[in-house]
Amino acid sequence: MKLIGVSGALAGDKTSIVVNQILVRARRFDSSIKTELVDLRDYEIDFFNGAPLADYNDDTWDIVQKIASADFLVFGTPIYQASIPGALKNLFDHLPEYTFKHKVTGMVATGWSDRHFLVMEYHLRSILSYFKGLVPTGNVFVHNSAFNMDGDEIKDERVLERLQTLSEEMVSLQQGMKDQ
């Protein structure tokens, strides 16, 4: 099985760090899983304008194909102005409606306000559900205070435990769907 982690931030490292933690922990839980981090900072995704996918640049085509070919996914987002960033929404606009059918689609988010965890539940969950994704229950919001002073490592053990639980839930759910 292949797990793709998508970091939807164009600035900063925190979201990418959190998504990568899910990938690392999923591989520890099941060493047969292949993982890949798709960091939107590394791609020049065309702005969606309703044209067929073939009309967009190679980066856009590549990232959509990676996401579509994954067995399951985790999406990471920073929370800006009580919403997901436009770059992540733009990526979703390129995907066909049934892209996540029979796929587990986990969520992690980073932000400054504890209330921003609701963005995952009321905004991102509805997008993943629209694409027919199975959204786990143990999704994780990571407050910026959970990171060390340099912002390059998660120091909060409770957050690390929740990331472990989410990765195990995602793997178990996807394995169960594969076995049917």
Side-chain angles (χ1 to χ4, degrees), residues 43-143:
Y43 294 86
E44 293 292 329
I45 299 172
D46 280 339
F47 188 75
F48 183 76
N49 63 17
L53 184 58
D55 291 353
Y56 295 98
N57 69 20
D58 289 343
D59 275 358
T60 304
W61 176 263
D62 184 42
I63 197 168
V64 168
Q65 293 306 312
K66 283 181 188 198
I67 288 171
S69 68
D71 293 299
F72 60 132
L73 303 108
V74 60
F75 289 92
T77 183
I79 307 301
Y80 301 138
Q81 308 297 350
S83 186
I84 65 173
L88 183 57
K89 175 60 170 85
N90 183 55
L91 171 61
F92 287 135
D93 287 343
H94 286 283
L95 302 176
E97 180 180 353
Y98 293 93
T99 301
F100 304 148
K101 189 172 183 175
H102 303 297
K103 297 179 184 187
V104 173
T105 53
M107 304 180 293
V108 294
T110 57
W112 278 106
S113 171
D114 287 332
R115 287 182 226 128
H116 280 163
F117 80 91
L118 293 171
V119 173
M120 278 194 312
E121 292 304 315
Y122 293 114
H123 189 67
L124 187 54
R125 179 183 294 274
S126 64
I127 293 170
L128 299 179
S129 294
Y130 169 79
F131 288 109
K132 313 305 181 247
L134 173 64
V135 182
T137 60
N139 299 293
V140 181
F141 175 79
V142 182
H143 192 279

Side-chain angles (χ1 to χ4, degrees), residues 168-180:
E168 291 175 11
E169 180 184 9
M170 289 177 58
V171 170
S172 297
L173 285 170
Q174 192 62 46
Q175 286 172 337
M177 289 177 64
K178 188 180 102 177
D179 293 341
Q180 289 184 356

